[in-house]
């Protein structure tokens, strides 16, 4: 996604430089929400202000809106056929594997030390035992733990 | 009022799903538990579609969930509106935040408290996604309730092990693994 944004914004439209796009991307990772959307919003804002931000956001989500609506509508109509059930049963296995792999990839980046490992394990156990506990509660608790264990004058890492 | 609830649920998700990619998934899993709009099997289908289509997966998932929730209410038109509303609600928090703090975002990024919060939030998100992985594995490999050993679906377990190895050996776009698994599912009537 980033390379696509870079090609379009830097090379084709010349709205920003390579460094600027990387900066926007870095900032987008530190704001809540979907990173690609944040990057598009940010580039839109830097290029054409509030209207640019809205246009950028709208543009980046529109393909998803159209494509997913079509697929969801089609799938809804094919659900009665038993073969669709079999296909989806196979796909469920693939999705489980994909998410396991994603967890491993994320874990390598996110778990930098023992404290991170403890936070990850506790979050895992809490969400398994209490499936209805709000993820917001877990996110805020994790932020709290991070902040209270911060060393004075530390670099935040 | 389903539209208000849909908006609030996705606004919250957009505000707290930090870390990109699959970060919205734990939020959607809890949403399925608390709203009843969709179940674990639907969620798995949504992830498969979200991974196989262009566009950020978080946005794809929001459109899909909104569509499903709206469809349950009254057919195609409300389904389309639901998809639009959920997507709008998901991106709204970041649009607002970026508009408000765009000028100071560069310093915001360097702020040590912000850095430290993200340092401890990311492992939490990872742990929550791991719990979804466990749930998805259960729903994919174990069919019935009761004794774990008796409820294991042998064909699914073999496919699971094969895919786990395959994804380590060859790095393909997720859509290929999904296609392979779907084909296997159809051939063996899983």
């Amino acid at each position: 996604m980033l390379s696509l944004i870079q090609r379009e914004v830097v090379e084709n439209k010349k709205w920003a430089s390579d460094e600027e796009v990387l900066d926007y991307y870095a900032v987008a990772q530190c704001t809540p929400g979907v990173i690609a959307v944040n990057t598009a919003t940010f580039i839109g804002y830097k290029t054409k202000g509030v209207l640019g931000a809205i246009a950028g956001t709208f543009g980046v989500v529109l393909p998803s809106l159209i494509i997913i609506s079509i697929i969801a509508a089609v799938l809804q109509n094919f659900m009665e056929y038993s073969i669709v059930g079999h296909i989806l049963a196979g796909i469920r296995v693939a999705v489980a594997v994909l998410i396991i792999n994603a967890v491993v990839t994320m874990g390598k980046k996110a778990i930098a030390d023992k404290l991170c490992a403890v936070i990850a394990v506790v979050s895992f156990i809490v969400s398994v035992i209490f499936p209805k506990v709000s993820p917001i509660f877990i996110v805020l608790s994790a932020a709290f733990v991070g902040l209270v264990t911060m060393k004075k004058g530390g670099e935040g890492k | 009022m389903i539209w208000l609830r849909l908006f609030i649920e996705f606004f919250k998700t957009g505000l707290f799903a930090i870390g990109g990619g699959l970060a919205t998934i734990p939020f959607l899993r809890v949403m399925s538990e608390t709203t009843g709009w969709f179940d674990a099997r639907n969620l798995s289908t949504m992830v498969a579609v979200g991974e196989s289509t262009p566009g950020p997966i978080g946005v794809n998932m929001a459109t899909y969930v909104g569509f499903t929730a709206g469809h349950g209410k009254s057919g195609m038109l409300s389904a389309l509106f639901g998809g639009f509303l959920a997507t709008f609600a998901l991106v709204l928090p970041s649009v607002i935040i970026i508009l408000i703090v765009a000028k100071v975002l560069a310093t915001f990024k360097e702020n040590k408290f912000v850095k430290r919060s993200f340092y401890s939030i990311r492992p939490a998100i990872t742990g929550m996604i791991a719990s979804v992985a466990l749930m998805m594995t259960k729903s994919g490999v174990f069919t019935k309730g009761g004794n774990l050993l008796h409820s294991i679906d042998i064909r699914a377990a073999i496919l699971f092990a094969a895919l786990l190895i395959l994804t380590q050996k060859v790095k393909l776009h997720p859509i290929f693994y999904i296609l392979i698994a779907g084909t296997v599912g159809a051939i063996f009537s899983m």
Side-chain angles (χ1 to χ4, degrees):
Chain A
M1 195 78 184
L2 178 65
S3 58
L4 263 178
I5 291 176
Q6 222 152 7
R7 197 184 315 148
E8 192 58 27
V9 170
V10 180
E11 288 168 27
N12 297 349
K13 298 284 188 290
K14 300 194 168 44
W15 285 332
S17 70
D18 263 327
E19 292 75 35
E20 280 173 310
V21 169
L22 279 179
D23 262 4
Y24 299 159
Y25 187 72
V27 171
Q29 285 178 305
C30 301
T31 40
V34 181
I35 294 173
V37 177
N38 293 349
T39 311
T41 311
F42 205 41
I43 292 172
Y45 182 77
K46 287 288 178 184
T47 314
K48 277 271 175 261
V50 175
L51 277 181
I54 294 169
T57 312
F58 188 66
V60 83
V61 302
L62 192 59
S64 295
L65 264 178
I66 296 171
I67 295 170
I68 298 294
S69 297
I70 293 172
I71 293 177
V74 170
L75 271 182
Q76 210 96 39
N77 291 324
F78 282 94
M79 281 302 180
E80 306 108 70
Y81 300 100
S82 60
I83 182 134
V84 177
H86 297 319
I87 293 172
L88 290 178
I91 288 177
R92 271 200 292 282
V93 177
V95 168
V97 172
L98 289 174
I99 297 184
I100 291 172
N101 288 337
V103 169
V104 174
T105 312
M106 284 185 79
K108 278 181 192 159
K109 273 191 236 161
I111 299 171
D113 54 29
K114 270 187 197 152
L115 179 64
C116 290
V118 171
I119 293 174
V121 170
V122 171
S123 307
F124 171 76
I125 292 172
V126 169
S127 18
V128 169
I129 298 178
F130 308 103
K132 289 190 181 180
V133 75
S134 168
I136 298 175
F137 169 74
I138 296 180
V139 165
L140 292 179
S141 310
F144 179 75
V145 169
L147 291 174
V148 294
T149 54
M150 205 168 158
K151 288 188 194 79
K152 265 186 193 155
E155 271 297 287
K157 260 221 157 174
Chain B
M1 183 63 192
I2 186 174
W3 301 128
L4 185 64
R5 183 131 191 236
L6 195 59
F7 178 85
I8 293 172
E9 288 291 338
F10 276 95
F11 190 86
K12 287 194 299 192
T13 303
L15 195 54
F16 289 98
I18 289 157
L22 298 175
T24 56
I25 289 186
F27 291 80
L28 298 177
R29 200 213 20 96
V30 174
M31 210 186 284
S32 81
E33 298 270 350
T34 54
T35 66
W37 291 332
F38 54 97
D39 61 19
R41 292 177 158 213
N42 298 142
L43 185 59
S44 178
T45 309
M46 290 166 183
V47 176
V49 172
E51 290 266 31
S52 316
T53 45
I57 180 154
V59 177
N60 290 346
M61 301 286 291
T63 307
Y64 207 142
V65 172
F67 186 98
T68 308
H71 195 273
K73 194 179 187 306
S74 55
M76 196 52 71
L77 206 62
S78 61
L80 291 173
F81 179 70
F84 174 80
L85 185 68
T87 310
F88 174 74
L90 180 81
V91 300
L92 193 59
S94 20
V95 175
I96 294 172
I97 288 171
I98 287 174
L99 290 186
I100 294 173
V101 294
K103 291 191 183 79
V104 293
L105 266 181
T107 46
F108 175 81
K109 190 186 68 175
E110 296 304 324
N111 182 292
K112 63 179 180 181
F113 298 107
V114 173
K115 268 190 180 171
R116 183 71 183 183
S117 303
F118 277 88
Y119 149 92
S120 57
I121 288 173
R122 288 208 178 96
I125 298 270
T126 309
M128 286 194 278
I129 299 178
S131 81
V132 181
L134 179 68
M135 185 205 75
M136 294 267 185
T137 308
K138 270 206 283 198
S139 108
V141 180
F142 300 93
T143 42
K144 294 154 268 166
N147 186 310
L148 270 187
L149 271 179
H150 288 137
S151 68
I152 192 165
D153 182 326
I154 299 296
R155 288 167 301 184
I158 294 172
L159 178 62
F160 178 79
L163 283 173
L164 213 49
I165 296 166
L166 183 69
T167 49
Q168 301 308 314
K169 297 273 178 224
V170 264
K171 296 284 169 213
L172 301 171
H173 189 278
I175 193 169
F176 293 106
Y177 306 118
I178 290 168
L179 285 176
I180 292 169
T183 311
V184 172
I187 293 172
F188 293 98
S189 298
M190 277 171 64

